[in-house]
Amino acid sequence: AIECFEEALAINTKVLGEMHPEAFTTLSNIGTVLHSKGNYEEALKKHLEAVRVARIVYPKGHQQLASLLLNLTGTYFATNK
């Protein structure tokens, strides 16, 4: 699954740009897969990057930003951070 997400991320980033919601949502999805495999440190990196870009693109309080923050929070919770 991770390989498919990484290929999709490469395509989305190339075609749409890293600031496009499809690109950083895919990045967060990669973080979710890494989380499910127990690779929390790499998952945190992906979620943090997705949230960083989303905060630039979306206004404060946007639902999609909230969703990405919840993904990040789940990984923080799993790592006790």
Side-chain angles (χ1 to χ4, degrees):
I2 193 93
E3 294 82 13
C4 292
F5 275 126
E6 288 174 344
E7 183 178 359
L9 177 62
I11 293 167
N12 288 336
T13 301
K14 182 178 179 181
V15 175
L16 304 171
E18 85 169 307
M19 299 301 235
H20 192 279
E22 198 65 37
F24 57 80
T25 298
T26 303
L27 189 61
S28 182
N29 290 337
I30 292 170
T32 299
V33 171
L34 291 167
H35 175 116
S36 71
K37 292 182 169 216
N39 191 344
Y40 301 123
E41 291 305 316
E42 286 301 311
L44 278 174
K45 290 178 187 176
K46 302 299 184 189
H47 287 309
L48 284 167
E49 180 63 13
V51 167
R52 182 192 71 77
V53 177
R55 284 189 167 151
I56 294 168
V57 173
Y58 293 129
K60 189 174 184 174
H62 193 280
Q63 187 277 326
Q64 185 61 30
L65 176 57
S67 179
L68 295 172
L69 286 167
L70 287 172
N71 291 342
L72 173 62
T73 301
T75 301
Y76 272 134
F77 183 75
T79 60
N80 294 315
K81 290 188 177 186

